[in-house]
Structure formats: C-alpha cells, structure tokens
Amino acid sequence: MPLVTTKEMFEKSMKEGFAIGAFNINNMEIIQGIVDAAEAQKSPVILQASEGAIKYARMPYLMKMIEAATEETTIPIAIHLDHGANFEVCKKCIDAGFTSVMIDGSKYSFEENIEITKKVVEYAHERGVVVEAELGQLAGIEDDVNVSEADAKYTDPEQAKEFVEKTGCDSLAIAIGTSHGAYKFKGEAKLRVDILKEIKEKIPNTPIVLHGASSVIPELVETCNAYGGEIPGAKGVPDEILKEVSMNGVSKINVDTDLRLALTSEIRKALAENPSAFDPRKYLTPARAKIQEVVEHKIKNVFGSSNKA
Ligand code: G3H
Ligand code: 13P
Ligand code: ZN
C-alpha cells in the first residue's frame, strides 16, 4: 500500500476514540520491528524520523527502507518528520516524499510560533502534506533546549484555539506534563488530563498529539541494568494513563525511548549470554523481535488501534 498522510487515520481515530502510535525510526531493524507489529495487529502506523535520525540513516536509505515497508505490507503507513526545527528542514522532508511534517516552534513566542508554522503549512498543503505544530513546552530535554521541569509550560486551551485558527495546522502537540526521555517523573506520574479535555472542547476537530509518551517499560530498564547498563530511577507514563488519554482525545502518541530500551536491553542480554558471539544477526534478531513485541503491546492493549487499518 502506498504511503498515506495522517489525515484519514486521525479522522477515524477521533470518531472511534483510539490513538495511533507514532514510532521513531533510526535503522532497518527498528523499521521492520514496528511495521511487523502494525501488520500483525492490522493497525495504521506512523513512522517518524527526527533530524538526528535523518542525519544518522541518511535520507536516501531512509526513504528506500520506508518504500520497502509499504511494498511488503497492506496497512496504512505515514512518514512524518519529528520536531522539525525550521522551515528548511520541513521543506527538505516534504520534497523528499514525507507525507507529514512537524514544525516545532514551541520554543518561540506565541506570535513567532504562528508565523513559522503558517509558512510551513502553506508550503506543505500546496503539496498534499499535513502539518503538526506544537504549543506549550514539555518538561525535560527537548532537542537542544533544556527546559527545566519547573518551567514546563502547559498548553493554554484558549491559545490553542487561536493558534489552530491562525495557522491552519492539521494537528497540535500539547504539553500536559510529559517530557522526553527515560526520566519523566521524580515522584508520582501525573498528567493534566483536565487540560487535555479543555483543549479538546475548544478544538474538537483538531487531532491532538502527545509527545514524551513512552512508558519506560520497567522490565526493559531492569534487563538493561541487569546486564551492565546504568539507568537508575527511570520512570515513564503508565499504560493506564496512556489508555485514558487515547480514549479522551489524543490521536497520536509518540514513542521513542521504549524502542531504544527494547533494542538495547536485548542486545545487552544477548551479548552477555553469548560472549563468544560476534555475528550481529545473533543479537539484532532478538532486538528486532523485542521492538515488535513492545509495539504490538502498545497498539493492542494501550492505544486501541488493532484492526483499525
Ligand atoms: O523527541 C525526540 C525523539 O526522541 C528523537 O530523538 O533527536 O535523539 O533522534 P533524537
Ligand atoms: P519518548 O522519549 O517518551 O519516547 O518521546 C518520544 C517523542 O516524543 C518523539 O517526538
Ligand atoms: Zn517529541
């Protein structure tokens, strides 16, 4: 099936009350693990690449691997730029064949964010590409900007309405208490679901995106640590909360950290258990299978997108 935009995916997810997983890709094993999971669950899926991922994998390889995925499967796949920092990056991805881009103007003032987002929307829409924008700031480390947890700015529902009206963006990433990476909460994990509901009331037809939504799966952290890793005190968003927001207006849930943990924990384990092994296939095969297992779990038990392809 050819690549699709997220438009049709989100229309269905908003109508039926489920979320679509957007999983970060960096190499072949990660792409295959995600796509095999979505295929097994008959779920639509969003593959997203950050600027760092594009730099690492290189654009021609990335696009060819995605093309291969669409040839092998029948499920709808969208390819999305994660956290585009400026117009040029978005343009590069649109020109390369991405079906969706994110312009992340969250570090700018409200007015500047509107301006930069509008410019990307204009270029993207002329080419049939959809745009995700962000309003409000996540806690923790986002790209090169270090926003302390105390400074986290939740999205203002009233501003969200004005922002969407003025920019014409297709979906909106909001800040309700999540953060990127493996250390999301010091104490109890808590999201401002009340703010989400208020935003949804103001912009009922705009798909809402949740970044920093890995659950930082405790078993994966334990495996990493048991085999030489040092990831103490890692904590993510519990599945129950993600399930609640999936049913209450969040249409896209971003996951990267859990995939990193899945891959790394299996590689650590396989290498530790087979010290004489040096064939990469010996440790990348279980690592890829772990990615598939993690993604299938999220699709089936948390996001609710099984059989929605
Ligand atoms: O939100 C950021 C994603 O986890 C991508 O991270 O820029 O290190 O590829 P990255
Ligand atoms: P996590 O670090 O929680 O996986 O978030 C990923 C993300 O938001 C990518 O944009
Ligand atoms: Zn993000």
Side-chain angles (χ1 to χ4, degrees):
M1 179 165 183
L3 283 171
V4 297
T5 71
T6 50
K7 211 172 175 63
E8 304 80 24
M9 290 184 186
F10 290 154
E11 270 163 19
K12 189 167 174 164
S13 76
M14 286 198 293
K15 207 163 85 196
E16 298 181 22
F18 65 91
I20 294 157
F23 301 97
N24 283 75
I25 56 170
N26 285 281
N27 65 13
M28 184 188 78
E29 284 76 12
I30 296 175
I31 294 174
Q32 290 177 334
I34 298 164
V35 174
D36 289 352
E39 176 80 23
Q41 289 299 321
K42 299 192 174 19
S43 166
V45 74
I46 300 165
L47 301 177
Q48 57 185 13
S50 67
E51 280 184 71
I54 295 167
K55 201 168 162 200
Y56 172 79
R58 307 206 290 267
M59 192 67 103
Y61 283 84
L62 209 54
M63 295 316 287
K64 291 288 180 196
M65 285 192 287
I66 290 158
E67 193 187 319
T70 63
E71 278 170 14
E72 262 201 346
T73 56
T74 52
I75 51 155
I77 300 177
I79 172 68
H80 171 78
L81 166 67
D82 191 27
H83 293 285
N86 53 49
F87 174 78
E88 285 310 316
V89 177
C90 294
K91 179 181 181 299
K92 195 172 89 181
C93 290
I94 293 166
D95 295 348
F98 278 50
T99 58
S100 172
V101 292
M102 174 189 191
I103 173 68
D104 182 358
S106 62
K107 58 182 174 289
Y108 298 115
S109 71
F110 185 61
E111 290 72 25
E112 285 169 322
N113 193 355
I114 289 177
E115 201 177 312
I116 181 176
T117 302
K118 258 174 85 171
K119 192 174 171 194
V120 173
V121 167
E122 195 179 317
Y123 189 82
H125 284 184
E126 276 170 6
R127 290 155 182 82
V129 172
V130 293
V131 179
E132 173 185 325
E134 180 168 330
L135 189 64
Q137 279 182 320
L138 270 66
I141 296 162
E142 188 166 15
D143 296 328
D144 294 325
V145 189
N146 203 327
V147 190
S148 81
E149 214 170 332
D151 289 336
K153 293 190 195 90
Y154 297 125
T155 306
D156 177 322
E158 200 59 60
Q159 273 198 341
K161 187 171 171 1
E162 187 185 342
F163 185 85
V164 169
E165 283 169 1
K166 287 192 168 158
T167 60
C169 67
D170 301 278
S171 59
L172 187 69
I174 59 166
I176 54 167
T178 59
S179 61
H180 290 113
Y183 303 93
K184 301 189 192 296
F185 303 100
K186 287 198 185 80
E188 192 202 346
K190 208 174 165 337
L191 294 195
R192 293 291 303 272
V193 181
D194 58 318
I195 297 181
L196 164 66
K197 288 180 180 166
E198 245 187 276
I199 294 170
K200 207 59 209 168
E201 273 169 29
K202 301 272 183 205
I203 45 170
N205 300 320
T206 304
I208 300 297
V209 180
L210 192 65
H211 282 248
S214 277
S215 48
V216 190
I217 301 168
E219 301 89 88
L220 301 182
V221 176
E222 276 162 33
T223 305
C224 280
N225 289 338
Y227 291 99
E230 285 180 20
I231 320 173
K235 200 170 192 175
V237 187
D239 279 354
E240 309 79 69
I241 298 183
L242 293 169
K243 205 168 169 175
E244 187 189 355
V245 299
S246 299
M247 293 187 300
N248 281 286
V250 169
S251 297
K252 172 174 180 271
I253 296 196
N254 284 12
V255 176
D256 188 358
T257 298
D258 281 339
L259 304 183
R260 296 176 178 193
L261 289 170
L263 199 78
T264 304
S265 60
E266 280 307 306
I267 291 173
R268 279 195 177 280
K269 183 165 175 267
L271 289 175
E273 286 176 350
N274 306 285
S276 59
F278 55 88
D279 177 346
R281 293 169 297 188
K282 292 277 186 285
Y283 53 87
L284 289 174
T285 300
R288 178 175 58 188
K290 197 57 155 182
I291 296 241
Q292 179 174 349
E293 184 189 315
V294 165
V295 174
E296 279 204 55
H297 163 72
K298 288 178 186 292
I299 286 175
K300 187 170 168 218
N301 305 319
V302 188
F303 305 161
S305 68
S306 296
N307 299 312
K308 303 287 188 186

